[in-house]
């Protein structure tokens, strides 16, 4: 679970709710655990994140613009910029990240804290779906494989 969200409190809450009868229950538990995170838990989760990056073959100017925007964001808010791009086509991701950075740099600290927490919840959901999908459907309840 720590691969989905690096908050130990979140992962413990998820483990305490096992077994999950289906993916919907798993995602609902993830949301609930995410909404209950204290600022220190969110900071812990953010410490496990890395900033969105460009493909190595992207134009040099795009790399520079993104690095500058990330640096400005981290200087202003004290943590890495996170954004969930699950509904964004790969060809639009660079523009989405840069637009998100520009928009969110205008936020005050409280507003950005709320947006960041929501992006972390969305990222956890996407990662859970990826893990479950990678494991393959077995028709049974989602349980600890041990």
């Amino acid at each position: 679970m720590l691969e989905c969200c690096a908050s130990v409190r979140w992962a413990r809450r998820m483990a305490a709710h096992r077994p999950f009868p289906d993916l919907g229950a798993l995602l609902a538990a993830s949301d609930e655990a995410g909404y209950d995170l204290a600022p220190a838990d969110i900071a812990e989760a953010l410490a496990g994140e890395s900033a969105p990056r460009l493909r190595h073959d992207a134009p040099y100017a795009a790399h520079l613009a993104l690095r500058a925007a990330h640096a400005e964001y981290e200087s202003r808010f004290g943590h890495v910029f996170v954004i969930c791009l699950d509904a964004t086509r790969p060809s639009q991701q660079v523009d989405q990240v840069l637009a998100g950075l520009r928009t969110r740099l205008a936020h005050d600290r409280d507003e950005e804290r709320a947006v960041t927490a929501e992006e972390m919840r969305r990222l956890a959901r996407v990662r859970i779906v990826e893990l479950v999908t990678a494991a393959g459907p077995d028709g049974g309840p989602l349980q600890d494989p041990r």
Side-chain angles (χ1 to χ4, degrees):
M1 287 280 94
L2 288 171
E3 291 179 31
C4 299
C5 177
S7 164
V8 171
R9 182 172 182 219
W10 180 88
R12 284 186 180 144
R13 295 248 352 239
M14 294 297 294
H17 286 19
R18 293 178 308 191
F20 300 99
D22 56 35
L23 180 58
L26 178 58
L27 294 175
S30 173
D31 287 342
E32 181 182 327
Y35 285 119
D36 288 343
L37 294 180
D41 301 317
I42 293 172
E44 179 182 43
L46 285 167
E49 294 292 326
S50 58
R53 300 194 194 296
L54 299 177
R55 292 172 41 120
H56 72 281
D57 60 349
Y60 181 70
H63 283 279
L64 286 178
L66 190 59
R67 267 185 269 170
H70 280 303
E72 184 178 356
Y73 180 91
E74 289 182 31
S75 174
R76 175 158 166 69
F77 295 111
H79 60 79
V80 68
F81 173 79
V82 292
I83 188 169
C84 183
L85 299 169
D86 64 319
T88 307
R89 290 193 315 245
S91 63
Q92 297 175 332
Q93 289 181 350
V94 173
D95 293 335
Q96 188 69 26
V97 170
L98 287 170
L101 277 160
R102 283 187 215 107
T103 298
R104 290 170 56 187
L105 278 166
H107 290 170
D108 64 35
R109 288 194 180 278
D110 290 337
E111 185 178 15
E112 184 54 24
R113 187 176 300 119
V115 171
T116 296
E118 180 59 29
E119 291 297 318
M120 293 297 297
R121 281 187 291 278
R122 290 180 62 209
L123 284 167
R125 289 177 64 90
V126 167
R127 292 168 180 164
I128 287 169
V129 169
E130 288 173 355
L131 282 175
V132 169
T133 302
D138 65 353
L142 302 173
Q143 299 181 22
D144 185 3
R146 289 180 277 161

